[in-house]
Amino acid sequence: MSLIVVITFLVLAFLGMPLAFALGVSALGGLWLSGFDLMVLPPRIMNAVNSFPLMSIPLFMVAGELMLKGGIMERLVDLANAFIGRVRGGLAQVAIISGAGLASVSGAAVADASALSSTLVPSLRKQYGLGFSTGIVAAAANLGPIIPPSGAMIVYAFMAGSSVSVGGMFMSGVVPGVILFLSFMFLCWFISWKRDYPLAGDPISLSAILRELRRSFLVFLMPVVVIGGIVAGAFTPTEGAAIGVCYALLLGFFVTRKLRLADLPEVLLTAAKTSALVGAMIAFASTVTFLFTIDLLPMHLAGMMEGITESPFLFLCLIALMLLVVGMFLESNAAYIMLVPLFHPIALNYGIDPLHFGFLFVLNLVIGMLTPPVGVVLFVVCGITGVKMGELVRESWPFIAAMYGVLLLCMLFPSVVTWLPERLGY
Amino acid sequence: MDRFLTSLLARADQGARFLVMLGAAAMVVVSAQVAMRYLFNGSFDWADEVSRLAFVATIFLAIPLGIRDGTHVGIDLLVSRLPEGLRVGIARLMSLLAAGMMLVVFWTAIVVAVTTWSERLGSINLTSSVFFLPVILGALHSALHLVHMAIAPGTVAKSTSEEVRP
């Protein structure tokens, strides 16, 4: 039965049917062929999204959008400029710092790519040309789902079930996120030095740093309050996200004073529509996974994997290879929704730490967002800046290589991922 | 038929947009829970259920808006290489299949909602079938959009693998 459902899904998906509906049609076919009463369908799809933790996805999205509309980008860029000063590749490093700062309030690579492309590429391209500028922006945007909060990690934790907490997933991304951030900073300097890009920016001044720190203090207080509150157990991720929304509203209306009431409908509608795309996939996939469970597919798959290798490291390598291919062709949310329920239990069988496996899974698919032919971050950057896909991909390779380097590091040394969550009791 | 559907869908879209924005805003009621807990040492019993209902409504009512905008993620690597006539034919067939599935969801959700009408929610004196209302409305609205796309393939938005996502 599972095979028929999978084949139907693949045929429909490759014939261009949106993935959510391809899941729905194949699930419906599976239920019908298995002789199930079709009345199991509505409660299953409704209950799949009737979830308190899942609500944090649109709420974090709204918070991030409100922060952007409230004019935080300008403050982040000014702060980064003050810290970097006059060095080779300085403006590129400013973009990476801004991307990391944005990641700490938004958590969505696509929203970050859109914000960074429209605000930073015009000044970056004067220094480095369009290709490298867009490569920098795409890499900086990809920090979004790795540095907490992260929409991808919320979806992963939801699909993995009770063995993974959202707070634990958030914390697992901190150390690798910092390593990635530093490697991107180094790459910007190294490439600028190799290509002999001119020095840019103003010399470092303590007064400028203090001034910009004061201006950005309230922006950076948001992740401290929200993520800190979640980690400290003061509130759940969903409550934290709702507090983030209230905080962003106060900041936008009363501190930066750039947010207008007229901005709110668009922000709410965008977040709702984007959540619906993920929600539709989760809803219909729930019936597919129900059929898989009835068919004992996860058990068969686990047996097959254990037949191939008993080594946890080799299993991780196989998963990384599979996700490398999947990430090239499948949108990342679809991959979490379809593959996490199958492979997460197998990873537990191998004795792999659930947070370690979860982070590797997310990082693999985040890299997929930067790899053609289906790389959503690439599409967004191309769409906004007008850069040719080939040029962007060529300039993104050093950053993609750095991400694979960090992936390998995390695979070889699990403590890079698990050290911080363990210290915090996850 | 095309004109009737276009006009009907325009009104349905407008209604769905309003409800979806309302639903997304209502989710923020969750923050009131935190305020109550830490400032007043109490809680709103209804906040959890109301916010979940708002979320379910937001998701299911926004699905047809995504269909209209062509933002549901798909794979167009194969179909984009096919001749125009074949591509349109396949798009029509896929829309009809998806519409059929949505109509099954619509009908079965009505039956389930009627069957469970007597069950009440935990914190509000309201039927638990209220959670199925957005599923029913969203499925019907989606089916109409998909039928419209099958009748008039020109309304099929461009492929969605390039879509914007979290």
Side-chain angles (χ1 to χ4, degrees):
Chain A
M1 176 51 53
S2 296
L3 193 65
I4 296 174
V5 171
V6 170
I7 290 173
T8 311
F9 165 73
L10 288 176
V11 168
L12 294 174
F14 277 99
L15 287 177
M17 184 183 279
L19 299 179
F21 306 136
L23 283 166
V25 173
S26 50
L28 191 63
L31 285 175
W32 184 66
L33 285 175
S34 308
F36 277 102
D37 188 345
L38 294 185
M39 297 304 154
V40 301
L41 189 62
R44 199 149 275 286
I45 62 172
M46 190 274 286
N47 284 322
V49 291
N50 183 8
S51 151
F52 193 72
L54 212 54
M55 271 170 53
S56 56
I57 295 176
L59 289 172
F60 271 124
M61 250 182 246
V62 171
E65 282 287 318
L66 288 174
M67 292 290 266
L68 283 170
K69 295 265 182 202
I72 63 156
M73 266 313 286
E74 184 201 322
R75 291 183 184 219
L76 288 175
V77 172
D78 288 346
L79 178 71
N81 260 323
F83 266 105
I84 289 298
R86 192 173 172 79
V87 293
R88 209 169 287 279
L91 203 54
Q93 293 180 340
V94 165
I96 299 292
I97 295 177
S98 305
L102 198 55
S104 68
V105 294
S106 128
V110 170
D112 294 3
S114 162
L116 292 167
S117 299
S118 49
T119 52
L120 290 177
V121 169
S123 48
L124 282 167
R125 68 186 296 179
K126 287 182 197 154
Q127 293 272 331
Y128 311 115
L130 187 58
F132 185 48
S133 305
T134 49
I136 297 162
V137 161
N142 246 24
L143 291 171
I146 296 168
I147 295 174
S150 158
M153 288 179 179
I154 296 169
V155 176
Y156 183 92
F158 179 73
M159 298 311 294
S162 57
S163 60
V164 175
S165 70
V166 172
M169 279 300 288
F170 281 179
M171 288 304 102
S172 71
V174 173
V175 175
V178 170
I179 296 173
L180 255 185
F181 164 75
L182 292 175
S183 41
F184 286 174
M185 293 286 281
F186 171 77
L187 273 174
C188 286
W189 170 82
F190 181 73
I191 294 170
S192 302
W193 171 72
K194 267 296 236 195
R195 296 181 184 176
D196 204 21
Y197 287 133
L199 284 166
D202 299 322
I204 291 180
S205 105
L206 187 62
S207 63
I209 289 177
L210 289 175
R211 185 182 66 237
E212 294 307 331
L213 271 177
R214 203 173 57 241
R215 280 186 77 221
S216 308
F217 173 73
L218 287 173
V219 174
F220 284 108
L221 196 61
M222 179 189 161
V224 172
V225 170
V226 173
I227 306 298
I230 295 169
V231 172
F235 35 75
T236 65
T238 305
E239 289 171 343
I243 287 169
V245 172
C246 297
Y247 188 95
L249 283 170
L250 290 174
L251 192 80
F253 281 131
F254 302 112
V255 179
T256 63
R257 295 182 184 182
K258 292 205 169 164
L259 191 64
R260 294 167 303 145
L261 272 177
D263 292 328
L264 297 186
E266 189 199 329
V267 169
L268 291 173
L269 193 61
T270 307
K273 284 203 279 191
T274 313
S275 309
L277 309 181
V278 184
M281 280 194 277
I282 290 177
F284 291 117
S286 67
T287 313
V288 172
T289 47
F290 165 70
L291 288 167
F292 285 169
T293 313
I294 297 285
D295 228 8
L296 303 178
L297 182 69
M299 257 179 67
H300 294 313
L301 209 57
M304 198 182 83
M305 291 302 286
E306 279 161 12
I308 296 171
T309 176
E310 288 184 355
S311 153
F313 182 73
L314 279 180
F315 167 73
L316 286 178
C317 291
L318 285 174
I319 293 292
L321 269 177
M322 181 196 72
L323 292 178
L324 169 71
V325 178
V326 167
M328 283 182 179
F329 295 98
L330 199 59
E331 196 272 336
S332 57
N333 281 307
Y336 294 122
I337 290 159
M338 286 185 274
L339 300 178
V340 173
L342 291 179
F343 289 102
H344 181 78
I346 302 177
L348 297 186
N349 279 354
Y350 273 95
I352 298 168
D353 185 288
L355 291 178
H356 182 217
F357 184 74
F359 177 75
L360 294 178
F361 205 100
V362 169
L363 182 56
N364 258 300
L365 290 173
V366 167
I367 299 172
M369 294 168 95
L370 259 189
T371 51
V374 182
V376 281
V377 168
L378 297 177
F379 293 133
V380 172
V381 175
C382 284
I384 292 175
T385 63
V387 68
K388 287 199 169 64
M389 178 66 83
E391 194 180 0
L392 173 56
V393 171
R394 215 169 29 251
E395 294 289 356
S396 299
W397 274 119
F399 300 101
I400 295 172
M403 294 184 92
Y404 274 116
V406 173
L407 178 73
L408 193 64
L409 183 79
C410 295
M411 281 168 69
L412 289 169
F413 304 102
S415 55
V416 173
V417 177
T418 57
W419 175 79
L420 187 61
E422 275 171 11
R423 289 290 161 284
L424 294 168
Y426 287 107
Chain B
M1 180 70 169
D2 182 22
R3 194 177 297 174
F4 170 73
L5 261 181
T6 307
S7 143
L8 180 70
L9 283 170
R11 282 157 203 250
D13 290 345
Q14 208 169 2
R17 260 198 304 273
F18 176 72
L19 289 173
V20 155
M21 283 190 280
L22 207 65
M27 278 186 264
V28 183
V29 79
V30 171
S31 57
Q33 274 289 56
V34 183
M36 280 299 290
R37 192 160 65 231
Y38 289 106
L39 300 179
F40 304 105
N41 203 21
S43 76
F44 293 125
D45 294 337
W46 47 267
D48 178 82
E49 247 163 3
V50 167
S51 57
R52 275 189 293 110
L53 180 60
F55 180 57
V56 170
T58 302
I59 295 292
F60 283 100
L61 296 176
I63 289 174
L65 298 178
I67 297 174
R68 191 205 56 170
D69 297 346
T71 52
H72 284 282
V73 186
I75 300 171
D76 69 345
L77 285 174
L78 184 68
V79 284
S80 63
R81 285 167 173 74
L82 296 175
E84 172 84 15
L86 186 57
R87 195 169 66 231
V88 172
I90 289 175
R92 280 186 149 148
L93 179 65
M94 292 300 111
S95 297
L96 278 177
L97 271 175
M101 184 269 293
M102 280 299 189
L103 285 173
V104 171
V105 173
F106 166 68
W107 177 246
T108 50
I110 290 177
V111 175
V112 173
V114 170
T115 314
T116 56
W117 193 262
S118 58
E119 291 171 18
R120 317 304 287 176
L121 292 177
S123 60
I124 319 165
N125 187 19
L126 200 65
T127 170
S128 63
S129 295
V130 75
F131 274 92
F132 287 105
L133 287 180
V135 182
I136 295 167
L137 292 173
L140 179 63
H141 190 180
S142 299
L144 288 175
H145 264 299
L146 290 160
V147 167
H148 191 216
M149 283 161 65
I151 293 171
T155 58
V156 178
K158 69 180 172 61
S159 172
T160 52
S161 49
E162 297 102 322
E163 247 339 288
V164 173
R165 206 139 315 271

